[in-house]
Amino acid sequence: MPFTTAAVLAAATLVAIAILARTALTAWNNWLDLQRAQLARPEQGTAHALGRIDLSDIKERLRKLEAIAAGVDI
């Protein structure tokens, strides 16, 4: 293989890798921006319902732990 052909092939490969890396970096930054926007925006309705579920779950676990501490079988 002549030197010029190898040099052109190497240069084309390097350019292709640079384009892919740039595209991947842009996609990663856009995904991070999306995640930041979702964290900054309050959820509508679901957070309140999930809070109730979490609270009832915590109360149930506390009740079980208190029963264990008191020596009562559940």
Short mmCIF file of all heavy atoms in Angstrom, two decimals:
data_model
loop_
_atom_site.label_atom_id
_atom_site.label_comp_id
_atom_site.label_asym_id
_atom_site.label_seq_id
_atom_site.Cartn_x
_atom_site.Cartn_y
_atom_site.Cartn_z
N MET A 1 0.85 -1.17 0.00
CA MET A 1 0.00 0.00 0.00
C MET A 1 0.90 1.23 0.00
O MET A 1 1.77 1.37 0.86
CB MET A 1 -0.90 -0.03 1.25
CG MET A 1 -1.82 1.14 1.31
SD MET A 1 -2.88 1.29 2.79
CE MET A 1 -3.60 -0.28 3.00
N PRO A 2 0.67 2.12 -0.92
CA PRO A 2 1.49 3.34 -0.98
C PRO A 2 1.26 4.23 0.25
O PRO A 2 0.21 4.16 0.89
CB PRO A 2 1.01 4.06 -2.24
CG PRO A 2 0.21 3.08 -3.00
CD PRO A 2 -0.22 2.02 -2.06
N PHE A 3 2.25 5.03 0.53
CA PHE A 3 2.19 5.91 1.70
C PHE A 3 1.03 6.88 1.62
O PHE A 3 0.36 7.15 2.62
CB PHE A 3 3.51 6.68 1.85
CG PHE A 3 3.48 7.68 2.98
CD1 PHE A 3 3.51 7.25 4.30
CD2 PHE A 3 3.37 9.04 2.72
CE1 PHE A 3 3.46 8.16 5.34
CE2 PHE A 3 3.31 9.95 3.76
CZ PHE A 3 3.37 9.52 5.07
N THR A 4 0.77 7.45 0.45
CA THR A 4 -0.31 8.43 0.33
C THR A 4 -1.67 7.80 0.60
O THR A 4 -2.53 8.42 1.24
CB THR A 4 -0.30 9.08 -1.06
OG1 THR A 4 -0.38 8.06 -2.05
CG2 THR A 4 0.95 9.91 -1.28
N THR A 5 -1.86 6.58 0.16
CA THR A 5 -3.13 5.90 0.41
C THR A 5 -3.31 5.64 1.90
O THR A 5 -4.40 5.85 2.46
CB THR A 5 -3.18 4.56 -0.36
OG1 THR A 5 -2.96 4.81 -1.74
CG2 THR A 5 -4.52 3.88 -0.17
N ALA A 6 -2.25 5.20 2.56
CA ALA A 6 -2.32 4.95 4.00
C ALA A 6 -2.55 6.25 4.76
O ALA A 6 -3.31 6.27 5.74
CB ALA A 6 -1.04 4.28 4.47
N ALA A 7 -1.92 7.34 4.33
CA ALA A 7 -2.09 8.62 4.99
C ALA A 7 -3.52 9.14 4.83
O ALA A 7 -4.12 9.66 5.78
CB ALA A 7 -1.09 9.64 4.44
N VAL A 8 -4.07 8.99 3.65
CA VAL A 8 -5.45 9.44 3.41
C VAL A 8 -6.41 8.59 4.23
O VAL A 8 -7.36 9.11 4.84
CB VAL A 8 -5.78 9.37 1.90
CG1 VAL A 8 -7.27 9.55 1.66
CG2 VAL A 8 -5.00 10.42 1.14
N LEU A 9 -6.18 7.29 4.28
CA LEU A 9 -7.03 6.40 5.06
C LEU A 9 -6.95 6.73 6.55
O LEU A 9 -7.97 6.77 7.25
CB LEU A 9 -6.63 4.95 4.81
CG LEU A 9 -7.49 3.88 5.49
CD1 LEU A 9 -8.93 3.97 5.02
CD2 LEU A 9 -6.93 2.51 5.21
N ALA A 10 -5.75 6.99 7.04
CA ALA A 10 -5.57 7.35 8.44
C ALA A 10 -6.25 8.69 8.76
O ALA A 10 -6.89 8.84 9.81
CB ALA A 10 -4.09 7.41 8.79
N ALA A 11 -6.11 9.65 7.88
CA ALA A 11 -6.73 10.95 8.08
C ALA A 11 -8.26 10.84 8.08
O ALA A 11 -8.95 11.45 8.91
CB ALA A 11 -6.27 11.94 7.02
N ALA A 12 -8.79 10.06 7.15
CA ALA A 12 -10.25 9.88 7.09
C ALA A 12 -10.76 9.18 8.34
O ALA A 12 -11.82 9.53 8.88
CB ALA A 12 -10.61 9.08 5.84
N THR A 13 -10.01 8.20 8.83
CA THR A 13 -10.39 7.51 10.05
C THR A 13 -10.36 8.45 11.24
O THR A 13 -11.27 8.45 12.08
CB THR A 13 -9.47 6.31 10.30
OG1 THR A 13 -9.51 5.44 9.15
CG2 THR A 13 -9.87 5.54 11.52
N LEU A 14 -9.35 9.27 11.33
CA LEU A 14 -9.24 10.24 12.41
C LEU A 14 -10.39 11.24 12.38
O LEU A 14 -10.97 11.57 13.42
CB LEU A 14 -7.89 10.96 12.33
CG LEU A 14 -7.58 11.93 13.46
CD1 LEU A 14 -7.51 11.18 14.78
CD2 LEU A 14 -6.27 12.64 13.19
N VAL A 15 -10.75 11.71 11.20
CA VAL A 15 -11.86 12.64 11.07
C VAL A 15 -13.17 11.97 11.48
O VAL A 15 -14.00 12.56 12.19
CB VAL A 15 -11.95 13.20 9.62
CG1 VAL A 15 -13.26 13.93 9.38
CG2 VAL A 15 -10.78 14.11 9.34
N ALA A 16 -13.37 10.71 11.07
CA ALA A 16 -14.58 9.98 11.43
C ALA A 16 -14.68 9.80 12.94
O ALA A 16 -15.75 9.97 13.53
CB ALA A 16 -14.62 8.64 10.72
N ILE A 17 -13.57 9.47 13.59
CA ILE A 17 -13.57 9.30 15.05
C ILE A 17 -13.86 10.63 15.73
O ILE A 17 -14.60 10.68 16.72
CB ILE A 17 -12.23 8.70 15.52
CG1 ILE A 17 -12.14 7.25 15.06
CG2 ILE A 17 -12.08 8.80 17.03
CD1 ILE A 17 -10.78 6.60 15.31
N ALA A 18 -13.31 11.71 15.21
CA ALA A 18 -13.56 13.03 15.79
C ALA A 18 -15.03 13.41 15.66
O ALA A 18 -15.63 13.95 16.60
CB ALA A 18 -12.68 14.08 15.12
N ILE A 19 -15.65 13.11 14.53
CA ILE A 19 -17.07 13.42 14.33
C ILE A 19 -17.92 12.59 15.29
O ILE A 19 -18.86 13.12 15.91
CB ILE A 19 -17.47 13.17 12.86
CG1 ILE A 19 -16.83 14.22 11.96
CG2 ILE A 19 -18.99 13.16 12.70
CD1 ILE A 19 -16.99 13.95 10.47
N LEU A 20 -17.61 11.31 15.42
CA LEU A 20 -18.36 10.46 16.35
C LEU A 20 -18.20 10.92 17.79
O LEU A 20 -19.18 10.92 18.56
CB LEU A 20 -17.92 9.00 16.20
CG LEU A 20 -18.34 8.30 14.91
CD1 LEU A 20 -17.70 6.91 14.84
CD2 LEU A 20 -19.85 8.20 14.84
N ALA A 21 -17.00 11.30 18.19
CA ALA A 21 -16.77 11.77 19.55
C ALA A 21 -17.53 13.06 19.81
O ALA A 21 -18.14 13.23 20.88
CB ALA A 21 -15.28 11.96 19.79
N ARG A 22 -17.52 13.96 18.86
CA ARG A 22 -18.24 15.23 19.00
C ARG A 22 -19.75 14.99 19.12
O ARG A 22 -20.43 15.60 19.96
CB ARG A 22 -17.92 16.14 17.81
CG ARG A 22 -18.69 17.41 17.74
CD ARG A 22 -18.31 18.35 18.83
NE ARG A 22 -19.11 19.56 18.71
CZ ARG A 22 -18.88 20.65 19.36
NH1 ARG A 22 -17.87 20.70 20.20
NH2 ARG A 22 -19.63 21.70 19.20
N THR A 23 -20.27 14.08 18.30
CA THR A 23 -21.69 13.76 18.34
C THR A 23 -22.07 13.13 19.69
O THR A 23 -23.09 13.48 20.28
CB THR A 23 -22.05 12.80 17.20
OG1 THR A 23 -21.68 13.41 15.96
CG2 THR A 23 -23.53 12.47 17.17
N ALA A 24 -21.24 12.23 20.18
CA ALA A 24 -21.51 11.58 21.45
C ALA A 24 -21.46 12.60 22.60
O ALA A 24 -22.30 12.56 23.50
CB ALA A 24 -20.51 10.46 21.70
N LEU A 25 -20.51 13.50 22.56
CA LEU A 25 -20.40 14.52 23.60
C LEU A 25 -21.60 15.46 23.58
O LEU A 25 -22.15 15.82 24.64
CB LEU A 25 -19.11 15.32 23.43
CG LEU A 25 -18.84 16.39 24.47
CD1 LEU A 25 -18.68 15.77 25.85
CD2 LEU A 25 -17.58 17.16 24.11
N THR A 26 -22.05 15.84 22.41
CA THR A 26 -23.22 16.71 22.29
C THR A 26 -24.46 16.00 22.82
O THR A 26 -25.27 16.59 23.55
CB THR A 26 -23.44 17.12 20.82
OG1 THR A 26 -22.26 17.80 20.36
CG2 THR A 26 -24.63 18.05 20.68
N ALA A 27 -24.61 14.73 22.46
CA ALA A 27 -25.76 13.97 22.95
C ALA A 27 -25.72 13.84 24.47
O ALA A 27 -26.75 13.97 25.14
CB ALA A 27 -25.78 12.58 22.30
N TRP A 28 -24.55 13.59 25.03
CA TRP A 28 -24.41 13.47 26.49
C TRP A 28 -24.79 14.77 27.18
O TRP A 28 -25.51 14.77 28.17
CB TRP A 28 -22.98 13.06 26.82
CG TRP A 28 -22.69 13.02 28.28
CD1 TRP A 28 -21.95 13.90 28.99
CD2 TRP A 28 -23.14 12.04 29.22
NE1 TRP A 28 -21.91 13.53 30.31
CE2 TRP A 28 -22.63 12.39 30.49
CE3 TRP A 28 -23.92 10.91 29.11
CZ2 TRP A 28 -22.89 11.65 31.62
CZ3 TRP A 28 -24.17 10.16 30.25
CH2 TRP A 28 -23.66 10.53 31.50
N ASN A 29 -24.29 15.90 26.66
CA ASN A 29 -24.61 17.20 27.26
C ASN A 29 -26.10 17.51 27.16
O ASN A 29 -26.69 18.04 28.11
CB ASN A 29 -23.79 18.31 26.60
CG ASN A 29 -22.37 18.32 27.08
OD1 ASN A 29 -22.08 17.94 28.21
ND2 ASN A 29 -21.46 18.76 26.23
N ASN A 30 -26.72 17.18 26.03
CA ASN A 30 -28.16 17.41 25.90
C ASN A 30 -28.95 16.53 26.86
O ASN A 30 -29.95 16.97 27.42
CB ASN A 30 -28.61 17.16 24.45
CG ASN A 30 -28.12 18.24 23.52
OD1 ASN A 30 -27.80 19.35 23.95
ND2 ASN A 30 -28.04 17.93 22.25
N TRP A 31 -28.50 15.29 27.06
CA TRP A 31 -29.18 14.40 27.99
C TRP A 31 -29.05 14.93 29.42
O TRP A 31 -30.02 14.90 30.18
CB TRP A 31 -28.60 13.00 27.89
CG TRP A 31 -29.28 12.01 28.78
CD1 TRP A 31 -30.45 11.36 28.53
CD2 TRP A 31 -28.85 11.59 30.08
NE1 TRP A 31 -30.77 10.56 29.60
CE2 TRP A 31 -29.81 10.67 30.56
CE3 TRP A 31 -27.75 11.89 30.87
CZ2 TRP A 31 -29.69 10.06 31.80
CZ3 TRP A 31 -27.64 11.28 32.11
CH2 TRP A 31 -28.60 10.38 32.56
N LEU A 32 -27.88 15.44 29.77
CA LEU A 32 -27.69 16.03 31.10
C LEU A 32 -28.58 17.25 31.29
O LEU A 32 -29.16 17.44 32.36
CB LEU A 32 -26.22 16.40 31.32
CG LEU A 32 -25.26 15.25 31.57
CD1 LEU A 32 -23.84 15.78 31.68
CD2 LEU A 32 -25.64 14.48 32.81
N ASP A 33 -28.69 18.08 30.26
CA ASP A 33 -29.57 19.24 30.34
C ASP A 33 -31.03 18.82 30.54
O ASP A 33 -31.76 19.44 31.31
CB ASP A 33 -29.46 20.10 29.07
CG ASP A 33 -28.12 20.82 28.98
OD1 ASP A 33 -27.45 20.96 30.02
OD2 ASP A 33 -27.75 21.22 27.85
N LEU A 34 -31.44 17.76 29.86
CA LEU A 34 -32.79 17.24 30.03
C LEU A 34 -33.02 16.76 31.45
O LEU A 34 -34.06 17.05 32.06
CB LEU A 34 -33.04 16.11 29.04
CG LEU A 34 -34.39 15.39 29.16
CD1 LEU A 34 -35.52 16.34 28.81
CD2 LEU A 34 -34.40 14.16 28.29
N GLN A 35 -32.06 16.05 32.01
CA GLN A 35 -32.20 15.56 33.38
C GLN A 35 -32.25 16.71 34.37
O GLN A 35 -33.02 16.68 35.33
CB GLN A 35 -31.04 14.61 33.73
CG GLN A 35 -31.02 13.34 32.90
CD GLN A 35 -32.30 12.55 32.99
OE1 GLN A 35 -32.84 12.34 34.07
NE2 GLN A 35 -32.82 12.14 31.85
N ARG A 36 -31.44 17.73 34.16
CA ARG A 36 -31.48 18.91 35.03
C ARG A 36 -32.83 19.61 34.95
O ARG A 36 -33.38 20.05 35.97
CB ARG A 36 -30.37 19.89 34.65
CG ARG A 36 -29.00 19.43 35.06
CD ARG A 36 -27.95 20.51 34.78
NE ARG A 36 -26.64 19.95 34.89
CZ ARG A 36 -25.80 19.78 33.87
NH1 ARG A 36 -26.15 20.16 32.65
NH2 ARG A 36 -24.61 19.26 34.04
N ALA A 37 -33.38 19.71 33.75
CA ALA A 37 -34.68 20.35 33.57
C ALA A 37 -35.78 19.54 34.26
O ALA A 37 -36.69 20.11 34.86
CB ALA A 37 -34.99 20.51 32.09
N GLN A 38 -35.70 18.23 34.19
CA GLN A 38 -36.70 17.40 34.85
C GLN A 38 -36.60 17.51 36.37
O GLN A 38 -37.61 17.47 37.06
CB GLN A 38 -36.55 15.94 34.42
CG GLN A 38 -37.02 15.69 33.01
CD GLN A 38 -36.80 14.26 32.57
OE1 GLN A 38 -36.11 13.50 33.23
NE2 GLN A 38 -37.40 13.89 31.45
N LEU A 39 -35.39 17.63 36.89
CA LEU A 39 -35.23 17.78 38.33
C LEU A 39 -35.70 19.14 38.81
O LEU A 39 -36.22 19.27 39.91
CB LEU A 39 -33.77 17.56 38.73
CG LEU A 39 -33.26 16.13 38.68
CD1 LEU A 39 -31.77 16.09 38.95
CD2 LEU A 39 -34.01 15.27 39.67
N ALA A 40 -35.52 20.16 37.99
CA ALA A 40 -35.91 21.52 38.37
C ALA A 40 -37.41 21.71 38.30
O ALA A 40 -37.97 22.50 39.06
CB ALA A 40 -35.21 22.54 37.48
N ARG A 41 -38.08 20.99 37.42
CA ARG A 41 -39.53 21.14 37.23
C ARG A 41 -40.27 20.28 38.24
O ARG A 41 -40.03 19.09 38.34
CB ARG A 41 -39.90 20.68 35.82
CG ARG A 41 -41.36 20.80 35.48
CD ARG A 41 -41.61 20.44 34.04
NE ARG A 41 -40.92 19.23 33.65
CZ ARG A 41 -41.52 18.06 33.42
NH1 ARG A 41 -42.81 17.95 33.55
NH2 ARG A 41 -40.81 17.01 33.07
N PRO A 42 -41.18 20.87 38.99
CA PRO A 42 -41.96 20.06 39.95
C PRO A 42 -42.92 19.14 39.21
O PRO A 42 -43.49 19.52 38.20
CB PRO A 42 -42.71 21.10 40.78
CG PRO A 42 -42.79 22.30 39.92
CD PRO A 42 -41.56 22.27 39.04
N GLU A 43 -43.07 17.94 39.71
CA GLU A 43 -43.97 16.97 39.11
C GLU A 43 -45.41 17.36 39.42
O GLU A 43 -45.70 17.88 40.49
CB GLU A 43 -43.66 15.58 39.64
CG GLU A 43 -42.21 15.22 39.50
CD GLU A 43 -42.02 14.01 38.62
OE1 GLU A 43 -43.00 13.34 38.31
OE2 GLU A 43 -40.89 13.75 38.26
N GLN A 44 -46.31 17.07 38.52
CA GLN A 44 -47.70 17.44 38.71
C GLN A 44 -48.51 16.24 39.18
O GLN A 44 -48.74 15.32 38.43
CB GLN A 44 -48.29 17.97 37.41
CG GLN A 44 -47.61 19.23 36.94
CD GLN A 44 -47.26 19.19 35.47
OE1 GLN A 44 -47.43 18.20 34.82
NE2 GLN A 44 -46.74 20.29 34.98
N GLY A 45 -48.86 16.25 40.45
CA GLY A 45 -49.74 15.23 40.98
C GLY A 45 -49.05 13.95 41.43
O GLY A 45 -49.41 13.38 42.44
N THR A 46 -48.09 13.48 40.69
CA THR A 46 -47.48 12.20 41.02
C THR A 46 -46.62 12.28 42.27
O THR A 46 -46.57 11.34 43.03
CB THR A 46 -46.65 11.67 39.85
OG1 THR A 46 -45.65 12.63 39.54
CG2 THR A 46 -47.51 11.41 38.64
N ALA A 47 -45.96 13.41 42.49
CA ALA A 47 -45.09 13.52 43.66
C ALA A 47 -45.91 13.47 44.94
O ALA A 47 -45.51 12.86 45.93
CB ALA A 47 -44.28 14.81 43.59
N HIS A 48 -47.07 14.10 44.93
CA HIS A 48 -47.91 14.10 46.13
C HIS A 48 -48.40 12.68 46.43
O HIS A 48 -48.38 12.23 47.57
CB HIS A 48 -49.09 15.04 45.92
CG HIS A 48 -49.83 15.33 47.19
ND1 HIS A 48 -50.50 14.36 47.88
CD2 HIS A 48 -50.00 16.48 47.88
CE1 HIS A 48 -51.06 14.90 48.94
NE2 HIS A 48 -50.77 16.18 48.97
N ALA A 49 -48.83 11.96 45.41
CA ALA A 49 -49.30 10.59 45.60
C ALA A 49 -48.15 9.69 46.05
O ALA A 49 -48.32 8.83 46.93
CB ALA A 49 -49.92 10.06 44.32
N LEU A 50 -46.99 9.86 45.45
CA LEU A 50 -45.84 9.05 45.85
C LEU A 50 -45.43 9.38 47.28
O LEU A 50 -45.01 8.50 48.03
CB LEU A 50 -44.66 9.27 44.89
CG LEU A 50 -44.83 8.69 43.50
CD1 LEU A 50 -43.62 9.06 42.64
CD2 LEU A 50 -44.99 7.19 43.55
N GLY A 51 -45.58 10.63 47.68
CA GLY A 51 -45.27 11.01 49.05
C GLY A 51 -46.18 10.31 50.04
O GLY A 51 -45.76 9.88 51.10
N ARG A 52 -47.45 10.19 49.68
CA ARG A 52 -48.39 9.48 50.55
C ARG A 52 -48.04 8.00 50.65
O ARG A 52 -48.12 7.41 51.72
CB ARG A 52 -49.81 9.62 50.02
CG ARG A 52 -50.41 10.95 50.30
CD ARG A 52 -51.89 10.89 49.99
NE ARG A 52 -52.32 12.19 49.52
CZ ARG A 52 -53.41 12.40 48.83
NH1 ARG A 52 -54.18 11.41 48.49
NH2 ARG A 52 -53.74 13.61 48.47
N ILE A 53 -47.67 7.42 49.53
CA ILE A 53 -47.30 6.00 49.54
C ILE A 53 -46.05 5.80 50.39
O ILE A 53 -45.99 4.88 51.21
CB ILE A 53 -47.07 5.50 48.09
CG1 ILE A 53 -48.40 5.49 47.32
CG2 ILE A 53 -46.46 4.11 48.09
CD1 ILE A 53 -48.25 5.25 45.85
N ASP A 54 -45.08 6.66 50.22
CA ASP A 54 -43.86 6.55 51.01
C ASP A 54 -44.17 6.73 52.50
O ASP A 54 -43.64 6.01 53.33
CB ASP A 54 -42.83 7.59 50.57
CG ASP A 54 -42.24 7.27 49.21
OD1 ASP A 54 -42.34 6.10 48.80
OD2 ASP A 54 -41.67 8.18 48.59
N LEU A 55 -45.01 7.68 52.83
CA LEU A 55 -45.35 7.93 54.22
C LEU A 55 -46.07 6.74 54.84
O LEU A 55 -45.75 6.31 55.95
CB LEU A 55 -46.20 9.20 54.35
CG LEU A 55 -46.54 9.64 55.76
CD1 LEU A 55 -45.27 9.89 56.56
CD2 LEU A 55 -47.41 10.88 55.73
N SER A 56 -47.00 6.16 54.10
CA SER A 56 -47.71 5.00 54.64
C SER A 56 -46.78 3.80 54.76
O SER A 56 -46.90 3.01 55.71
CB SER A 56 -48.92 4.65 53.77
OG SER A 56 -48.50 4.23 52.49
N ASP A 57 -45.85 3.68 53.83
CA ASP A 57 -44.88 2.58 53.91
C ASP A 57 -43.97 2.76 55.13
O ASP A 57 -43.69 1.79 55.84
CB ASP A 57 -44.04 2.55 52.63
CG ASP A 57 -43.10 1.36 52.59
OD1 ASP A 57 -43.52 0.25 52.97
OD2 ASP A 57 -41.93 1.55 52.16
N ILE A 58 -43.57 3.98 55.39
CA ILE A 58 -42.72 4.24 56.55
C ILE A 58 -43.49 3.98 57.84
O ILE A 58 -42.95 3.38 58.79
CB ILE A 58 -42.19 5.70 56.51
CG1 ILE A 58 -41.17 5.84 55.38
CG2 ILE A 58 -41.58 6.10 57.84
CD1 ILE A 58 -40.73 7.25 55.11
N LYS A 59 -44.77 4.38 57.87
CA LYS A 59 -45.57 4.12 59.07
C LYS A 59 -45.73 2.62 59.31
O LYS A 59 -45.67 2.16 60.46
CB LYS A 59 -46.94 4.77 58.93
CG LYS A 59 -46.91 6.27 59.11
CD LYS A 59 -48.30 6.86 58.99
CE LYS A 59 -48.28 8.36 59.18
NZ LYS A 59 -49.61 8.95 59.04
N GLU A 60 -45.95 1.86 58.24
CA GLU A 60 -46.09 0.41 58.38
C GLU A 60 -44.81 -0.23 58.89
O GLU A 60 -44.82 -1.09 59.77
CB GLU A 60 -46.48 -0.20 57.03
CG GLU A 60 -46.63 -1.70 57.04
CD GLU A 60 -47.80 -2.18 57.89
OE1 GLU A 60 -48.73 -1.40 58.15
OE2 GLU A 60 -47.77 -3.36 58.30
N ARG A 61 -43.68 0.21 58.35
CA ARG A 61 -42.39 -0.32 58.80
C ARG A 61 -42.14 0.05 60.27
O ARG A 61 -41.63 -0.76 61.04
CB ARG A 61 -41.26 0.21 57.93
CG ARG A 61 -41.27 -0.39 56.56
CD ARG A 61 -40.11 0.13 55.74
NE ARG A 61 -40.20 -0.35 54.37
CZ ARG A 61 -39.19 -0.37 53.54
NH1 ARG A 61 -38.01 0.06 53.93
NH2 ARG A 61 -39.35 -0.81 52.32
N LEU A 62 -42.49 1.26 60.64
CA LEU A 62 -42.32 1.69 62.03
C LEU A 62 -43.20 0.86 62.96
O LEU A 62 -42.76 0.43 64.03
CB LEU A 62 -42.66 3.17 62.17
CG LEU A 62 -42.52 3.76 63.56
CD1 LEU A 62 -41.08 3.67 64.03
CD2 LEU A 62 -42.99 5.19 63.58
N ARG A 63 -44.42 0.59 62.54
CA ARG A 63 -45.32 -0.23 63.35
C ARG A 63 -44.73 -1.63 63.55
O ARG A 63 -44.74 -2.18 64.64
CB ARG A 63 -46.69 -0.32 62.67
CG ARG A 63 -47.74 -1.04 63.51
CD ARG A 63 -49.03 -1.23 62.77
NE ARG A 63 -48.93 -2.11 61.62
CZ ARG A 63 -48.90 -3.45 61.70
NH1 ARG A 63 -48.93 -4.05 62.87
NH2 ARG A 63 -48.83 -4.17 60.61
N LYS A 64 -44.16 -2.20 62.47
CA LYS A 64 -43.55 -3.53 62.57
C LYS A 64 -42.33 -3.51 63.48
O LYS A 64 -42.13 -4.43 64.29
CB LYS A 64 -43.17 -4.04 61.19
CG LYS A 64 -44.36 -4.45 60.35
CD LYS A 64 -43.92 -4.96 58.99
CE LYS A 64 -45.12 -5.36 58.16
NZ LYS A 64 -44.71 -5.84 56.83
N LEU A 65 -41.51 -2.46 63.37
CA LEU A 65 -40.33 -2.37 64.22
C LEU A 65 -40.73 -2.21 65.68
O LEU A 65 -40.09 -2.79 66.58
CB LEU A 65 -39.44 -1.21 63.78
CG LEU A 65 -38.66 -1.43 62.48
CD1 LEU A 65 -37.96 -0.13 62.08
CD2 LEU A 65 -37.64 -2.53 62.66
N GLU A 66 -41.76 -1.42 65.95
CA GLU A 66 -42.23 -1.26 67.32
C GLU A 66 -42.75 -2.58 67.88
O GLU A 66 -42.54 -2.92 69.04
CB GLU A 66 -43.31 -0.19 67.41
CG GLU A 66 -42.76 1.22 67.25
CD GLU A 66 -43.87 2.26 67.16
OE1 GLU A 66 -45.04 1.89 66.89
OE2 GLU A 66 -43.55 3.45 67.33
N ALA A 67 -43.43 -3.35 67.03
CA ALA A 67 -43.93 -4.65 67.46
C ALA A 67 -42.79 -5.60 67.75
O ALA A 67 -42.82 -6.36 68.73
CB ALA A 67 -44.86 -5.24 66.39
N ILE A 68 -41.76 -5.56 66.95
CA ILE A 68 -40.59 -6.40 67.18
C ILE A 68 -39.91 -6.00 68.48
O ILE A 68 -39.51 -6.84 69.29
CB ILE A 68 -39.60 -6.33 65.99
CG1 ILE A 68 -40.20 -7.01 64.76
CG2 ILE A 68 -38.27 -6.96 66.35
CD1 ILE A 68 -39.42 -6.78 63.49
N ALA A 69 -39.78 -4.69 68.71
CA ALA A 69 -39.15 -4.19 69.93
C ALA A 69 -39.96 -4.58 71.17
O ALA A 69 -39.38 -4.84 72.22
CB ALA A 69 -38.97 -2.69 69.86
N ALA A 70 -41.27 -4.63 71.03
CA ALA A 70 -42.12 -4.99 72.16
C ALA A 70 -42.21 -6.50 72.35
O ALA A 70 -42.76 -6.97 73.33
CB ALA A 70 -43.54 -4.42 71.94
N GLY A 71 -41.67 -7.25 71.38
CA GLY A 71 -41.68 -8.71 71.49
C GLY A 71 -42.96 -9.35 71.02
O GLY A 71 -43.25 -10.50 71.34
N VAL A 72 -43.73 -8.64 70.22
CA VAL A 72 -45.00 -9.15 69.70
C VAL A 72 -44.76 -9.74 68.31
O VAL A 72 -44.10 -9.13 67.49
CB VAL A 72 -46.06 -8.03 69.61
CG1 VAL A 72 -47.36 -8.56 69.01
CG2 VAL A 72 -46.28 -7.42 70.97
N ASP A 73 -45.27 -10.95 68.07
CA ASP A 73 -45.18 -11.55 66.75
C ASP A 73 -46.25 -10.95 65.85
O ASP A 73 -47.42 -10.83 66.24
CB ASP A 73 -45.36 -13.06 66.80
CG ASP A 73 -44.13 -13.75 67.38
OD1 ASP A 73 -43.03 -13.18 67.25
OD2 ASP A 73 -44.28 -14.85 67.96
N ILE A 74 -45.85 -10.62 64.65
CA ILE A 74 -46.79 -10.02 63.70
C ILE A 74 -47.37 -11.11 62.81
O ILE A 74 -46.75 -11.93 62.30
CB ILE A 74 -46.11 -8.94 62.85
CG1 ILE A 74 -45.65 -7.81 63.74
CG2 ILE A 74 -47.06 -8.43 61.79
CD1 ILE A 74 -44.90 -6.72 63.02
#
